[in-house]
Amino acid sequence: MTTETFEFQVEARQLLQLMIHSVYSNKDVFLRELVSNASDALDKLRLEKLRDDSLDADVSDLHIRIDVDKEARTLTVRDNGIGMSYDEVGQLIGTIANSGTATFLQELKEAKDAAGAEGLIGQFGVGFYSGFMAADEVTLVSRRAGESQGTRWTSRGEATYTLEKVDDAPQGTSVTLHLKPADPENQLHDYTSPWQIKEIVKRYSDFITWPIRMVPEAGDGDSAPEPETLNSMKALWARSRDEVSDDEYHELYKHISHDWREPLETIRLQAEGTFEYQALLFVPAHAPHDLFTRDFKRGIQLYVKRVFIMDDCEALLPPYLRFVKGVVDAADLSLNVSREILQQDRHIRMMQRRLTKKVLATVKEFMTKDADRYATFWREFGTVLKEGLVTDSENRDAILAVSSFATTHAEDEPTTLARYVERMKDGQDDIYYLTGESRQSIENSPHMEAFRDKGIEVLLLTDAVDEVWVDAVGEYEGKRLRSVAKGEIDLDAQGDEKADEEREKQAEDYAGLLGWMREQLGEDIKEVRLSARLTVSPACVVSDAHDLTPALENMYRAMGQEVPRAQRILELNPGHPLVKGLNQAYNEREDRSGLVESAELLHTLAVLAEGGQPKDPARFVKLVADRLERTL
């Protein structure tokens, strides 16, 4: 037959060079692209046969086959699908027709990377060109189903390609790569190696609908072995629930997560309509050890039409659900030329919203129907889930609804905000909380004394994120979230004339001492005042209502953000003997220089009581030692 030589379009030639040298960082994916093209060809033939039963095409054993010739160093990917006519080969392979190549190149030039290109994946020519990463020459032979004559296309990936008609071509398409020498340093592997082929197929194409077959290597003296199927074709997410056993789901989870334990829950989701996708998500039973490290790999495996696209697709779930593992398989998705997702694609955002709500609904179901599983979930993932209270305002109410917190109401039973509100005392307007390093340190805090005395419930928040989310949330069902260590606290009943008179008398009696201590302590404090929150301790330090707490200041500094250090307020317990004695000494002595050290010690003791550090530890130790010496 006559062989014709053609020149590539200028844009096609530029794209070809990009495909070979810069678009794909992993050269193994050329096999994924060729297998995906073959799978599409089989899908199209099946559909065409359904539409036109008279089509002269064999659909009895649709499959993909990979053949390797080690001596000739060739790799061939064949399918018996729809195939292409002579004109289609010229259009799809030679010119990449209708693919927007010129536009893509312009966007690529402006963006300086491949992320600006849409609409190229799915055009046969683009994925096909990736074969030149591994091959010096590529030969394609194709015959369209229902036609008698085939077409051969050959090129070395440079300026030209050849086309010729052939009479003996089988139905479908075969792509033969004349492989380059292996070059491990440049991630160019030996693609004549059967185990290498199997590994790539298993990773990228395991769930493709059609069997992918390869003839194994024959041993000495053996007869020609039968082809083996390399892919499982078990896309569990595409099968109905009653067709899949729990063991199969668990095996998939272990394969995806590299976790040897069974998941806490399996979540299925199928979206139909204008945008179709299927999801199979798993909630682990245990938090991975590196969940809070910077290098933790989060994200869901993304497939498009059962073709593996990427391992850790972070855009499918928000960071606070980074522990969820699973698979999402979309019927169609905007991808760039190297099959990476476009982060701003509206379908991605749509999927993220739906998947997020589904996971939170599952946690809600744990809470209402399975207390043990909820307890396990919250113990393992409660801390990370609370990050969403800060970052995801859209789902904040749903996250609050499934959150629980330690509380003074019960030692071993955490509570929800809803249950806290139900138990609030008459006249109580605020939800009280206190943050700290541990439950023990919080319960022993001086700030808790009046609340313990009056039996008012306090949330005990010990996670670092608690310092942040309480400010972000602010209130729950109209009840303000209020720290017992910030602002002024007065738990006495309003309108109690006797209590009001006593407070006024104390304020008058202590006015001189408070002003004097404020002067002596200087820049260490903002104010000295009498306390309504202390019943046992002599003093405590509190933050002003709108100031950052010391723990939050330290957190911001640890993240490299400089924040001004807030001055604290020193509160004195007017009923404590030490404070009474200090006030009496202040009123009786004209020379108060001896009381300065007492004021300093009282302030430092208050700082220590809340877990802080003395401003000058050596001076504090000396002052305490001197006082002890005087008592002997």
Side-chain angles (χ1 to χ4, degrees):
M1 295 291 179
T2 303
T3 300
E4 295 184 85
T5 301
F6 300 88
E7 285 193 3
F8 284 112
Q9 286 182 332
V10 174
E11 294 89 348
R13 195 181 312 168
Q14 291 176 307
L15 179 59
L16 179 55
Q17 293 306 307
L18 283 169
M19 299 293 288
I20 296 171
H21 298 296
S22 61
V23 169
Y24 292 99
S25 57
N26 182 0
K27 294 180 173 60
D28 290 351
V29 298
F30 81 87
L31 189 55
R32 174 190 71 183
E33 300 298 325
L34 296 182
V35 169
S36 297
N37 286 336
S39 177
D40 289 344
L42 296 171
D43 288 336
K44 289 174 182 177
L45 178 60
R46 180 176 61 178
L47 184 60
E48 194 70 24
K49 186 68 174 176
L50 287 172
R51 289 174 177 168
D52 182 6
D53 190 51
S54 64
L55 180 67
D56 181 17
D58 182 8
V59 294
S60 60
D61 181 26
L62 297 179
H63 65 276
I64 301 165
R65 176 165 165 155
I66 300 175
D67 292 321
V68 170
D69 186 330
K70 285 195 170 186
E71 291 186 7
R73 285 197 57 77
T74 63
L75 171 69
T76 302
V77 178
R78 310 175 188 274
D79 68 74
N80 54 350
I82 192 68
M84 291 178 283
S85 66
Y86 183 91
D87 290 341
E88 286 172 331
V89 171
Q91 289 174 349
L92 293 173
I93 305 302
T95 62
I96 321 183
N98 304 318
S99 65
T101 310
T103 303
F104 161 64
L105 288 168
Q106 182 62 33
E107 291 178 355
L108 185 63
K109 185 177 180 181
E110 292 173 359
K112 293 187 170 56
D113 59 29
E118 294 186 46
L120 284 173
I121 277 301
Q123 297 290 340
F124 186 95
V126 176
F128 168 78
Y129 275 140
S130 65
F132 283 104
M133 292 190 299
D136 290 319
E137 182 175 293
V138 177
T139 300
L140 174 143
V141 177
S142 185
R143 177 171 68 83
R144 184 169 183 82
E147 296 186 359
S148 59
Q149 197 169 54
T151 305
R152 180 182 290 115
W153 179 98
T154 304
S155 177
R156 296 187 62 83
E158 295 168 350
T160 64
Y161 60 93
T162 63
L163 278 177
E164 63 178 310
K165 295 180 180 179
V166 292
D167 291 328
D168 55 352
Q171 171 188 304
T173 301
S174 68
V175 179
T176 300
L177 308 182
H178 301 267
L179 296 168
K180 297 176 181 178
D183 185 1
E185 288 187 6
N186 291 316
Q187 295 187 326
L188 191 63
H189 301 117
D190 181 7
Y191 299 112
T192 64
S193 167
W195 74 264
Q196 186 79 48
I197 300 300
K198 291 178 182 179
E199 193 276 332
I200 296 172
V201 170
K202 189 73 177 174
R203 175 168 175 75
Y204 291 109
S205 308
D206 192 49
F207 302 120
I208 279 181
T209 310
W210 309 105
I212 304 170
R213 299 171 184 163
M214 185 171 72
V215 178
E217 293 181 287
D220 294 336
D222 292 344
S223 58
E226 290 294 315
E228 62 176 310
T229 300
L230 306 183
N231 59 323
S232 70
M233 296 177 284
K234 287 184 177 180
L236 301 184
W237 56 87
R239 295 156 61 185
S240 63
R241 178 64 183 89
D242 54 8
E243 292 179 3
V244 185
S245 68
D246 288 339
D247 287 342
E248 286 180 296
Y249 282 137
H250 295 167
E251 283 303 312
L252 178 61
Y253 165 72
K254 292 172 184 177
H255 171 71
I256 291 171
S257 66
H258 308 294
D259 183 3
W260 56 271
R261 294 161 291 206
E262 294 182 354
L264 185 66
E265 181 62 284
T266 301
I267 304 171
R268 290 177 53 90
L269 190 149
Q270 183 159 341
E272 298 178 343
T274 55
F275 178 63
E276 297 182 358
Y277 62 92
Q278 297 162 316
L280 189 59
L281 305 180
F282 301 97
V283 178
H286 299 271
H289 66 90
D290 57 348
L291 181 62
F292 292 97
T293 65
R294 184 176 297 179
D295 297 330
F296 179 73
K297 288 187 176 180
R298 68 179 181 88
I300 305 298
Q301 288 191 349
L302 176 64
Y303 287 74
V304 174
K305 297 178 183 176
R306 299 197 187 181
V307 177
F308 178 73
I309 301 301
M310 60 191 303
D311 212 3
D312 303 301
C313 183
E314 296 183 356
L316 289 172
L317 283 174
Y320 67 88
L321 294 180
R322 58 185 175 272
F323 53 86
V324 176
K325 300 297 180 183
V327 172
V328 170
D329 188 358
D332 190 22
L333 200 61
S334 295
L335 304 172
N336 65 29
V337 71
S338 56
R339 285 187 187 263
E340 296 171 348
I341 67 165
L342 297 172
Q343 299 281 351
Q344 303 307 315
D345 184 83
R346 65 185 181 88
H347 291 147
I348 291 291
R349 294 196 301 273
M350 186 191 309
M351 285 194 289
Q352 188 199 71
R353 283 196 295 269
R354 179 87 183 272
L355 295 175
T356 299
K357 291 184 185 301
K358 183 68 174 179
V359 173
L360 294 176
T362 300
V363 179
K364 181 71 172 178
E365 196 169 323
F366 289 165
M367 176 180 272
T368 56
K369 297 182 179 179
D370 195 329
D372 289 341
R373 279 208 291 177
Y374 174 76
T376 299
F377 171 85
W378 192 253
R379 182 183 68 247
E380 299 294 326
F381 303 110
T383 301
V384 67
L385 191 73
K386 285 187 288 186
E387 293 174 11
L389 295 172
V390 182
T391 59
D392 188 358
S393 58
E394 180 182 345
N395 292 297
R396 184 173 289 162
D397 290 344
I399 299 170
L400 272 180
V402 299
S403 297
S404 56
F405 314 96
T407 171
T408 54
H409 176 73
E411 187 170 340
D412 300 322
E413 184 182 349
T415 191
T416 63
L417 294 185
R419 290 199 293 267
Y420 180 103
V421 170
E422 289 175 1
R423 292 192 294 264
M424 285 174 62
K425 292 183 174 295
D426 292 339
Q428 181 181 342
D429 297 322
D430 301 326
I431 298 171
Y432 292 107
Y433 71 88
L434 184 58
T435 59
E437 292 185 357
S438 67
R439 180 184 183 115
Q440 182 179 9
S441 67
I442 295 175
E443 288 182 323
N444 292 332
S445 169
H447 302 109
M448 295 287 292
E449 293 173 2
F451 292 87
R452 188 184 303 112
D453 223 33
K454 295 183 180 296
I456 297 175
E457 185 175 356
V458 179
L459 302 178
L460 311 176
L461 307 179
T462 57
D463 294 324
V465 69
D466 293 330
E467 292 280 356
V468 185
W469 75 257
V470 286
D471 285 334
V473 173
E475 65 173 41
Y476 175 76
E477 292 187 355
K479 308 291 186 182
R480 181 174 53 151
L481 289 164
R482 188 173 179 191
S483 170
V484 303
K486 293 179 72 172
E488 291 197 68
I489 298 289
D490 188 358
L491 301 180
D492 291 326
Q494 297 298 318
D496 186 330
E497 291 185 11
K498 187 175 181 181
D500 290 343
E501 287 178 6
E502 185 176 350
R503 277 194 294 268
E504 287 178 11
K505 186 176 185 307
Q506 286 177 338
E508 185 178 334
D509 291 344
Y510 281 87
L513 175 66
L514 298 180
W516 176 80
M517 285 187 68
R518 170 70 185 86
E519 290 179 8
Q520 300 305 314
L521 295 174
E523 63 181 20
D524 290 339
I525 58 169
K526 178 188 288 187
E527 181 186 350
V528 183
R529 67 191 182 201
L530 296 182
S531 178
R533 75 185 88 213
L534 296 174
T535 61
V536 177
S537 300
C540 68
V541 285
V542 299
S543 298
D544 217 346
H546 302 292
D547 285 345
L548 296 178
T549 63
L552 199 53
E553 285 181 16
N554 293 334
M555 190 186 306
Y556 281 126
R557 290 191 183 97
M559 294 187 295
Q561 300 182 35
E562 273 306 315
V563 292
R565 193 173 293 279
Q567 286 182 306
R568 311 293 301 288
I569 297 168
L570 177 64
E571 289 193 350
L572 304 182
N573 179 1
H576 194 279
L578 175 57
V579 177
K580 285 182 177 179
L582 186 59
N583 188 48
Q584 182 178 348
Y586 170 81
N587 289 323
E588 293 177 352
R589 298 181 190 178
E590 290 186 12
D591 180 10
R592 301 181 179 110
S593 58
L595 299 179
V596 174
E597 290 183 355
S598 297
E600 187 179 340
L601 278 172
L602 190 59
H603 172 249
T604 307
L605 288 172
V607 171
L608 287 170
E610 70 160 7
Q613 296 294 323
K615 180 180 178 181
D616 186 345
R619 174 172 171 76
F620 173 71
V621 170
K622 184 178 183 304
L623 290 176
V624 172
D626 289 346
R627 290 301 172 103
L628 288 173
E629 184 181 346
R630 292 177 206 169
T631 63
L632 297 176

